[in-house]
Amino acid sequence: MPHLGHRRDTRIVGPRAEWLPGALLRLAGSVHRGRGMMLSCRRARWVPLTTALLLALGLGAGPALAQRGAPNSFATIVQAVAPAVVTIAAVVEPKTAPAELQDDEEPEEAGPIGSGVIIDPKGVVLTNGHVADAASIEVVTSDGRRYRPTRIVIDGRSDLAVLVIGDGTAAFPFARLADSDRARVGDWVVAIGAPHGLQTTVTAGIISARGGQGAGPLGPDYIQTSAVLRFGSSGGPLVNLDGEIVGINTVFGLEAAGLAFTVPSNMARAVAAQLLENGRVSRPWLGLVTQALTPELARGLALGTSTGLLVSDVLPASPGAAAGLRPGELVMTLDARRLLARIDLARALAQARAGQAVTLQVRRRDGTVHTLAVTLGEERDAAPSSLTTYRVPELGCVVRSLTPDLGVSIVRVDAQAGTDGLRPGDIVREVNNAGVRTLAAFARLVDRLRAGDHVAVLVQRGSLATYVALKAGAR
């Protein structure tokens, strides 16, 4: 990714610079309209008079606010990032085998449903979970090439998904993830995607709010932007002026009201890494229900000027309960990070991992302050947060894990696999006499197959188990 240069602002320096505004106001009346003039003070740099007048009137950026201004064009950013942006389309499989199709008949395409961005040259695509959850999808790159993902992993909690395209040898254009914690309200950003199927559509705006100010509908850490998003923008990147991904855009249906949200890149980076490595996301768990401490609550609980998160409940058998925390106490810091709002705790936990020991500074009800060591647990969702889909060209099917660690189900079967072979809904129990309990085990068995190998698959079909004989196809 080429580094995009920063524009330098002219600054006024020197020990006598403080008298400059008054001098400028006295000279302003003598400026000939339309003629550029330069002004100097002792040991001060020459600056355009128009700029100096803005400073004198309080309209310019003083030294404390000096930063790059609005760009004249976003073209350089778009040229750098657009090749990494993809369109994700749903595909309707033909009801008849390819051999039975007419010469002018092609598989039906349902059309674009979202966007994505390649974050690794090996073909790792980041997008929204609800975009990747279609029964059958393909990824269309900016140069028109089409790929069926060989792997799809979805995290329902963050609404993020990772798709893997290609054979692992091609070098795809990609974009880098920024440090979203450094993104500020007011920063310029560019959204690139395929709203309503219009590929490589670009809109620009600013970051209009961060989590804790204008929290998104699905969580407290969403970034709000004024860049225009529409149906089909979901999964596309929100990019800063350095051409780095600040977030993954998510369309909630609030765009008509001028509200658009994006998943911060730091969250996306952490989720993507776990999905690729483990097929699921492990989230640390403290087991506390907390709320912000308001002045009214502080007076009612006789907490004085103390600051922190007020514990309103402690879940049974949780790490918080094991540490002896009780309702009415204040959690002031986690690993020395001050906790003033719930978003502070969420961000601190997001940078930790299950099983990690952390240190809490807690103010008890009696006013004493204690330091507690707590080992974080792992949060368990009511429903699996991760649904992993894996395309198996050798067997002409797509499979999905029933849970992250138990069961593999057939999601879709290619037409050429035949009506007497595998069927959607089949649960795979064995491949060539080797038991299958996890998606990882199934993938290892399939990787050993070569084109033409005879394969016996034991599947559970309803209440009955049956063997299916297949011949492995090309990878």
Side-chain angles (χ1 to χ4, degrees):
M1 181 65 60
H3 178 71
L4 305 177
H6 292 206
R7 195 182 97 183
R8 296 186 179 274
D9 290 327
T10 303
R11 302 187 185 185
I12 301 173
V13 296
R16 294 290 187 176
E18 64 272 9
W19 63 266
L20 184 58
L24 289 173
L25 290 175
R26 289 193 297 272
L27 289 172
S30 63
V31 177
H32 189 284
R33 179 171 299 178
R35 178 177 300 173
M37 295 184 64
M38 306 298 290
L39 180 68
S40 173
C41 60
R42 297 180 188 176
R43 298 186 182 180
R45 292 182 182 176
W46 288 88
V47 296
L49 183 57
T50 51
T51 302
L53 282 172
L54 287 175
L55 287 167
L57 296 173
L59 302 177
L65 299 177
Q67 56 182 306
R68 96 185 86 175
N72 294 326
S73 172
F74 297 105
T76 304
I77 301 169
V78 174
Q79 290 171 1
V81 178
V85 180
V86 301
T87 301
I88 297 174
V91 178
V92 177
E93 297 295 332
K95 296 181 181 180
T96 57
E100 300 173 358
L101 293 173
Q102 302 297 321
D103 291 340
D104 59 349
E105 186 178 358
E106 295 181 355
E108 181 182 356
E109 294 185 11
I113 56 175
S115 308
V117 60
I118 302 173
I119 60 171
D120 187 289
K122 294 182 179 180
V124 177
V125 178
L126 194 55
T127 185
N128 279 158
H130 70 269
V131 172
D133 202 26
S136 180
I137 61 175
E138 66 178 4
V139 176
V140 185
T141 57
S142 60
D143 58 4
R145 289 178 294 170
R146 296 175 178 268
Y147 297 88
R148 290 290 184 92
T150 58
R151 188 182 181 198
I152 302 175
V153 199
I154 301 173
D155 177 55
R157 173 75 67 84
S158 64
D159 192 29
L160 291 172
V162 170
L163 318 179
V164 179
I165 60 176
D167 57 6
T169 61
F172 290 91
F174 69 102
R176 300 184 186 278
L177 293 166
D179 179 0
S180 56
D181 286 348
R182 300 180 63 182
R184 303 169 303 171
V185 174
D187 282 352
W188 283 100
V189 285
V190 176
I192 309 176
H196 300 286
L198 301 174
Q199 196 170 14
T200 318
T201 294
V202 179
T203 59
I206 62 169
I207 294 176
S208 50
R210 292 297 308 260
Q213 296 173 316
L218 297 186
D221 206 22
Y222 277 73
I223 296 175
Q224 185 177 323
T225 177
S226 64
V228 176
L229 302 180
R230 291 289 185 266
F231 174 79
S233 298
S234 285
L238 190 73
V239 182
N240 62 21
L241 294 188
D242 291 321
E244 296 176 330
I245 302 168
V246 174
I248 300 299
N249 298 323
T250 302
V251 174
F252 291 119
L254 299 175
E255 288 66 34
L259 299 176
F261 298 92
T262 186
V263 181
S265 56
N266 284 355
M267 179 191 297
R269 179 187 291 106
V271 168
Q274 291 198 55
L275 291 180
L276 286 170
E277 183 177 355
N278 305 316
R280 58 187 297 270
V281 177
S282 173
R283 290 181 169 87
W285 182 53
L286 192 53
L288 300 180
V289 180
T290 62
Q291 63 187 89
L293 180 65
T294 64
E296 294 77 13
L297 286 172
R299 287 194 292 269
L301 296 172
L303 294 175
T305 59
S306 300
T307 60
L309 281 180
L310 179 63
V311 177
S312 56
D313 199 7
V314 181
L315 302 182
S318 67
L325 289 167
R326 295 179 298 172
E329 297 177 337
L330 282 181
V331 181
M332 304 168 69
T333 66
L334 188 152
D335 282 346
R337 293 182 55 158
R338 295 183 64 194
L339 304 178
L340 301 178
R342 295 176 63 187
I343 184 62
D344 298 328
L345 179 59
R347 287 174 177 164
L349 290 176
Q351 296 181 13
R353 63 184 185 277
Q356 177 179 337
V358 297
T359 300
L360 301 180
Q361 189 179 57
V362 178
R363 185 189 188 278
R364 299 289 193 185
R365 291 183 177 182
D366 60 6
T368 59
V369 176
H370 299 263
T371 299
L372 306 177
V374 182
T375 300
L376 299 174
E378 182 177 4
E379 183 176 351
R380 294 289 184 179
D381 294 335
S385 64
S386 301
L387 297 174
T388 302
T389 304
Y390 188 74
R391 181 171 174 80
V392 190
E394 297 90 338
L395 301 183
C397 65
V398 174
V399 299
R400 167 171 286 176
S401 55
L402 294 175
T403 69
D405 53 8
L406 181 62
V408 175
S409 174
I410 304 295
V411 175
R412 181 173 56 79
V413 179
D414 295 342
Q416 60 266 30
T419 56
D420 295 331
L422 300 173
R423 300 178 186 176
D426 286 350
I427 297 175
V428 179
R429 293 174 50 178
E430 293 180 0
V431 174
N432 285 346
N433 291 324
V436 173
R437 292 178 61 84
T438 68
L439 188 60
F442 179 77
R444 285 194 295 269
L445 293 172
V446 171
D447 284 343
R448 300 173 186 171
L449 300 177
R450 298 294 179 265
D453 285 356
H454 292 279
V455 186
V457 182
L458 178 63
V459 299
Q460 186 74 33
R461 187 171 293 165
S463 59
L464 301 176
T466 183
Y467 281 98
V468 176
L470 301 171
K471 183 176 288 188
R475 182 167 302 177

